[in-house]
Amino acid sequence: SLHAAHIVSDRLSLCTEKVWCVEEEWHGSMGEGAGKGSTPSAEEGTRVRVCVRLRPLDMSPDKALYARFPSDPGTLHVKAPPEHSDRPDREFAFDDIFMGDVTQEHIFKSVCKPLCTHVVRGFNSCCFAYGQTGSGKTYSIFGESGPERGIVPRSLEFLFAEVDRRQRVMGSSIKATIFVSITEIYLDQLYDLGRAVARGVVGRAMSASPLRSEAGGEGGAEYVPRHGHARKGMSEAAVAKHTDAVKDVRKTIRTEIREGPDGGVYVDNLEQLEVTTIDQVMQIVNACSALRATHATLLNEVSSRSHTVFTLSLVQTNSNTATTVRGRLHLVDLAGSERVKKSGSEGVRLKEALTINKSLSALGSVVMALNAGSRAGHIPYRDSKLTRMLQGSLGGNAYTTLLATINQGADSWDESSATLLFASRCQEVASAPVMNTAESLNPQLMRAARLQEEVNALRSELEETRASHATQLASLLVEGGAQ
């Protein structure tokens, strides 16, 4: 019958999925090769993948400065504007080039979905957005709502669905735990935004703020647009009150970067928040977004004045093979480079701009030193907090993708050209991703996972005790009533 055919088809599909999972184990992602006493598999010679995204611009094709032709989709052709007629036209070759009409879904599938697949296999991955202020970095990484949601929510959707599929196919033998953290580098100081969420200080400090409804983390699975938009039209007194509330919270969440015995870097006492649903993660993201440093400049109405790093860690344990692997995904929204003369920055905004440009310059120096053709013996990771945090993702243990965002306007030609040159240099940076087995995992993360398992076991024991006591109480009440 048709019903029986559907049953057979479903069973065949389930068996096929199980075969895929077993094959993944056999090839080492969760198999015996990743067990105790084995050497993690390294994939040598993996270079940084570079993609370029052009922000939409209403301009006739004959006046456009940037073009990509169907016959050569991997090459971006750049014309010099009339005011720079002395400059030659240039061509840049990249892994992917996205013109202004490309959707957010396409960006995720091309840029970040491969990175998420590596995370599921137990590798580290990183995607960082680089470009001039106002070129679409935050829109690409976080996005807006609905179809306009960005890489962060779409990555969560993919990873949660993949974890669910694995557990459905492999059953109780696979245990997966997901942690998230959000850090911010502002004026070259590091802040653990997730710590504010864990301690509940965001809601308390922001309770009198006009942004309370967004900062309180009561939203759903969609990203709340940056709070600079919400501040538009507010009185100066209200904005000042909000700013003071953020400053109060920041005083409690400042942290530092430390170096481990193996030479790797980590954030001191970083708050690793265990999550079980996408809604839960997006509530955390929305709460943290209220603390991000964003202000208006002449170039961007809601300019990010800090670098933000969203990190998701997926820890998977296979009880059949007694193996544990961890994949980590860093999604980095870099503050945009800006020319002070154009942005009109003064006072605190000027200090922010200079610090941002200095850290991005340090990033450029690291890329130059890591260039495959460079003979530099020293890599200047210590020149800024940003390069220290990205140390493992640039030339280290991670699959890395750069998403360079470009303003197509003639007035941004200089800055866009600098972005393209930086992106071109990044293609020469190689890394060596290594599967993260139990022996190589972050001790803080593993301790958090063990403690969480103990908590879950105690909760189960408590529920059983309560149920037993309830049964005994009911029995006693019945006996008392009978007497």
Side-chain angles (χ1 to χ4, degrees):
S1 67
L2 184 60
H3 178 66
H6 280 308
I7 293 176
V8 172
S9 176
D10 289 343
R11 289 179 177 175
L12 180 60
S13 177
L14 188 62
C15 288
T16 302
E17 287 187 344
K18 193 160 187 174
V19 168
W20 289 342
C21 288
V22 171
E23 285 179 345
E24 287 178 359
E25 292 187 68
W26 177 256
H27 288 294
S29 69
M30 291 284 288
E32 296 179 356
K36 295 181 180 180
S38 67
T39 301
S41 59
E43 302 192 7
E44 301 288 348
T46 304
R47 67 170 179 83
V48 172
R49 186 167 176 265
V50 178
C51 305
V52 173
R53 184 180 196 181
L54 281 71
R55 179 168 179 165
L57 183 66
D58 187 13
M59 179 184 290
S60 59
D62 60 315
K63 294 183 179 180
L65 302 177
Y66 303 88
R68 185 195 63 175
F69 302 110
S71 58
D72 189 12
T75 300
L76 183 66
H77 302 264
V78 184
K79 295 180 180 179
E83 56 268 33
H84 293 291
S85 56
D86 58 323
R87 306 278 190 91
D89 295 347
R90 301 199 62 172
E91 294 181 353
F92 295 90
F94 297 110
D95 294 288
D96 260 317
I97 299 170
F98 309 111
M99 304 306 286
D101 57 347
V102 171
T103 65
Q104 292 279 69
E105 180 181 8
H106 186 83
I107 291 293
F108 166 72
K109 288 182 177 179
S110 300
V111 175
C112 203
K113 187 176 179 179
L115 298 179
C116 291
T117 301
H118 292 314
V119 171
V120 173
R121 294 172 55 211
F123 291 87
N124 294 338
S125 295
C126 176
C127 174
F128 63 103
Y130 179 98
Q132 179 195 9
T133 182
S135 57
K137 298 180 300 300
T138 300
Y139 174 73
S140 297
I141 295 295
F142 290 99
E144 302 290 344
S145 60
E148 301 305 310
R149 63 194 187 282
I151 286 174
V152 167
R154 291 178 187 273
S155 297
L156 293 169
E157 292 166 6
F158 176 86
L159 289 169
F160 272 97
E162 184 63 18
V163 167
D164 180 70
R165 181 186 72 85
R166 280 172 166 254
Q167 292 181 328
R168 179 168 55 88
V169 173
M170 302 300 291
S172 59
S173 62
I174 297 293
K175 175 178 174 55
T177 309
I178 297 177
F179 300 90
V180 298
S181 64
I182 302 179
T183 52
E184 180 185 50
I185 304 174
Y186 176 64
L187 293 177
D188 209 37
Q189 299 297 327
L190 196 64
Y191 297 93
D192 182 359
L193 302 186
R195 188 182 302 175
V197 176
R199 295 178 178 178
V201 298
V202 178
R204 293 198 301 270
M206 307 290 286
S207 60
S209 168
L211 305 179
R212 179 181 180 182
S213 60
E214 292 179 338
E218 299 297 330
E222 295 184 337
Y223 175 65
V224 176
R226 286 181 292 175
H227 290 83
H229 290 298
R231 288 197 293 266
K232 186 177 180 181
M234 287 169 47
S235 67
E236 292 185 5
V239 172
K241 192 171 185 179
H242 170 74
T243 302
D244 289 341
V246 170
K247 287 181 179 179
D248 289 339
V249 174
R250 284 180 175 276
K251 293 176 183 177
T252 67
I253 60 175
R254 184 171 165 180
T255 186
E256 295 292 340
I257 296 175
R258 306 294 183 194
E259 185 170 320
D262 60 349
V265 297
Y266 63 93
V267 178
D268 190 31
N269 293 318
L270 179 65
E271 195 71 46
Q272 301 277 357
L273 303 169
E274 184 184 6
V275 293
T276 56
T277 66
I278 299 176
D279 285 358
Q280 190 179 3
V281 182
M282 294 315 298
Q283 287 175 11
I284 294 170
V285 172
N286 288 333
C288 290
S289 70
L291 302 177
R292 293 187 61 190
T294 59
H295 293 281
T297 69
L298 295 179
L299 296 176
N300 188 359
E301 184 181 10
V302 191
S303 175
S304 296
R305 314 306 290 172
S306 62
H307 310 297
T308 305
V309 182
F310 173 89
T311 302
L312 181 146
S313 298
L314 172 61
V315 180
Q316 300 176 86
T317 299
N318 187 332
S319 59
N320 290 339
T321 57
T323 58
T324 298
V325 297
R326 185 222 64 207
R328 179 175 289 172
L329 176 65
H330 296 296
L331 299 175
V332 186
D333 178 18
L334 296 176
S337 60
E338 64 180 67
R339 298 203 173 185
V340 175
K341 185 176 180 180
K342 286 186 177 181
S343 65
S345 297
E346 298 177 345
V348 176
R349 301 292 86 77
L350 175 60
K351 185 177 180 180
E352 292 168 347
L354 295 176
T355 305
I356 291 168
N357 290 342
K358 181 180 178 181
S359 64
L360 294 176
S361 176
L363 179 60
S365 297
V366 167
V367 169
M368 288 290 289
L370 288 170
N371 190 288
S374 173
R375 296 182 179 180
H378 169 67
I379 311 299
Y381 288 117
R382 295 179 180 272
D383 285 1
S384 76
K385 296 284 177 61
L386 173 63
T387 49
R388 285 287 278 166
M389 278 206 71
L390 293 179
Q391 181 172 335
S393 300
L394 286 172
N397 174 23
Y399 289 94
T400 301
T401 297
L402 166 68
L403 178 61
T405 54
I406 301 296
N407 271 331
Q408 297 190 62
D411 57 346
S412 299
W413 187 82
D414 279 333
E415 291 82 357
S416 295
S417 296
T419 297
L420 292 171
L421 286 171
F422 173 82
S424 183
R425 293 188 185 111
C426 284
Q427 293 184 110
E428 300 300 320
V429 175
S431 60
V434 176
M435 183 183 296
N436 301 298
T437 61
E439 293 83 358
S440 62
L441 296 184
N442 184 326
Q444 289 183 343
L445 196 64
M446 292 305 297
R447 181 172 180 271
R450 287 195 299 269
L451 290 174
Q452 189 60 48
E453 288 181 2
E454 291 179 15
V455 169
N456 292 339
L458 290 172
R459 283 176 176 170
S460 298
E461 184 179 342
L462 180 61
E463 289 301 320
E464 291 177 2
T465 302
R466 284 176 174 171
S468 175
H469 286 176
T471 302
Q472 293 177 13
L473 179 60
S475 178
L476 290 173
L477 289 174
V478 170
E479 292 177 4
Q483 292 175 355

